Amino acid sequence: MTLADVLREPLVNGRSLPAREDGFPVLRATALRPVTVDFTQTKGGDETARTSPPALAEPGDLLVTRVSGSRTLVGEGALVDVPPRPTAFPDTMIRVRALPSVLDPRYLAHLWNSPVVRHQVEARARQGGAAIYRINHRDLEPILLPLPTLGEQARIVSQVEDHLARIDATTARTRRAAEQAEELIYSMSAQASVGRLSATDRAPGSLPDAGPHDGALPSLPTTWRWTRLESIAEVTRGVAKNSRRPWDPDDVEVPCLRVANVQRGRLDLDDVPIVRLPAQRARAARLHTGDVLLTGGGNRDQLGRGWIWEEQLPHCVYQDHVFRARIIGQQLHPKLLAWHAGGFGRQWCERNARPVTGLASIGLGKIRLMPVPIAPPADQQRLVALLDAHLTSLKAACTAAERAVAVADRLRSNLLQQAFTGRLPQAAPSLGHEESSL
């Protein structure tokens, strides 16, 4: 049967309501979780007597997302169980109400997100402007649905949910372990940068006032000292975009790192834009091995994050919301600066940032005044070697966890494919070796 054959009511879109902080609850796009709707994900909408009643999500409804930036996400559906209060759904969702005499709502919810239906939905999705994928009523009505008897539907739902509960429990444990390992990486690197990985005499931290709000500087080993970033590194801002600059055949094309490419403790180089620059400007902004990249714009709690450049891309430059710190005379190991920036440095930047249209930024003059701890050269080498060894083990654990989660995702997809093609396994699937090794 097609979806059109089993509809109790015609498919309808929700309705957008003007935003109001304490208004009528309206589901956010993030409310459409796998299988069921998350009613904690709402926003306020202005519903008054002058407007028509909102489109309400009611028990048994399947809500389908109409638009998405990804073909693999557009058309995903979630079942409405029992809303805690009357809640509207927006015009970015389509409501499906099926005949309960032929279709179990929970069966439809699992079937809808299985490969059996997903392949059909993705084939019908259309790409509009700004790389947005869309789907409408006419696209959904011809979707083919395998429909056994209601009794068989109930049996399939029971077994699918039992299997999925096992997969979800293992996935949740694995993700918690990965998050704990990642937090330990950040904690160890931040502690190492102020000399807290060994028992030694410490002295209170202090620096002459230079204008910014330093806060309480952590104590350091007695052989260490605090200084300002500008005294141990050349700190510069990257290149600014200039879309109106006239075409010059002598310009060069080079990769250019954005804020999104500079993450905490790593560089994400999967999507690096190419820019055209005068050759002289490109040479001046070119990154060299050992340069520490720090973010200067974005969410307040992400300022100052960064990592080290190691010539991953040839002739690479960086945008003006990213700072480059180039250590002078090997006074400080670049990793120690990057680790410090990811701990104390991020907190310092957050205190000293200025708001910019809902985000935050920190200026070049201010970032140069960030307090930085300096250890004796021999201590620096020992500390970097020690921490590298520990972090390598922790990162290996994170990688193993990521592999296990990927296996779980494949198991989920395979389970749903088999369930709705008459080949449902009778025993709960296992994550196998990946699960047992975590």
Side-chain angles (χ1 to χ4, degrees), residues 18 76 103 163 166 192 207 214 320-321 328 338 391 398:
E76 280 201 324
L103 187 55
H163 294 326
R166 296 169 186 264
L207 268 178
D214 291 335
D320 59 344
H321 289 298
I328 301 169
L391 297 189
C398 289

Side-chain angles (χ1 to χ4, degrees), residues 200-204 219-225 376:
T200 184
D201 293 337
R202 306 181 68 83
S219 62
L220 297 176
T222 53
T223 56
W224 293 35
R225 62 185 175 87

Side-chain angles (χ1 to χ4, degrees), residues 42-78:
T42 62
K43 57 185 177 181
D46 185 13
E47 178 62 25
T48 70
R50 294 188 300 275
T51 61
S52 59
L56 297 180
E58 297 182 3
D61 290 348
L62 182 78
L63 299 181
V64 176
T65 180
R66 293 176 56 212
V67 296
S68 175
S70 169
R71 185 186 291 273
T72 60
L73 296 178
V74 67
E76 280 201 324

Side-chain angles (χ1 to χ4, degrees), residues 159-181:
Q159 291 196 21
V160 164
E161 292 186 346
D162 179 62
H163 294 326
L164 289 180
R166 296 169 186 264
I167 294 174
D168 290 344
T170 299
T171 302
R173 290 195 301 269
T174 303
R175 285 190 169 132
R176 282 197 301 272
E179 290 168 359
Q180 290 168 353

Side-chain angles (χ1 to χ4, degrees), residues 396-436:
C398 289
T399 300
E402 290 170 0
R403 287 199 303 268
V405 169
V407 169
D409 289 341
R410 291 197 297 274
L411 280 174
R412 173 184 287 274
S413 179
N414 291 340
L415 169 66
L416 294 175
Q417 173 71 23
Q418 293 175 12
F420 299 106
T421 54
R423 296 179 289 118
L424 184 66
Q426 297 300 311
S430 167
L431 291 188
H433 176 71
E434 285 85 353
E435 177 184 353
S436 63

Side-chain angles (χ1 to χ4, degrees), residues 208-230:
D209 184 19
H213 178 48
D214 291 335
L217 296 180
S219 62
L220 297 176
T222 53
T223 56
W224 293 35
R225 62 185 175 87
W226 281 102
T227 189
R228 302 280 178 187
L229 181 58
E230 64 182 2

Side-chain angles (χ1 to χ4, degrees), residues 234-239 254-258 261-262 267-269 272-273 277 280-294 307-320 322-327:
E234 295 175 352
V235 187
T236 55
R237 185 188 294 277
V239 297
V254 291
C256 183
L257 298 185
R258 303 164 296 152
N261 300 125
V262 183
L267 299 178
D268 182 353
L269 304 179
V272 179
L277 295 171
Q280 183 178 1
R281 183 72 183 97
R283 284 194 298 270
R286 180 178 173 179
L287 294 168
H288 295 165
T289 297
D291 287 346
V292 179
L293 294 159
L294 306 171
W307 193 236
I308 303 162
W309 183 251
E310 297 174 299
E311 298 293 340
Q312 294 93 329
L313 298 172
H315 309 294
C316 191
V317 300
Y318 55 107
Q319 284 187 1
D320 59 344
V322 176
F323 300 117
R324 179 189 68 190
R326 183 170 291 169
I327 308 298

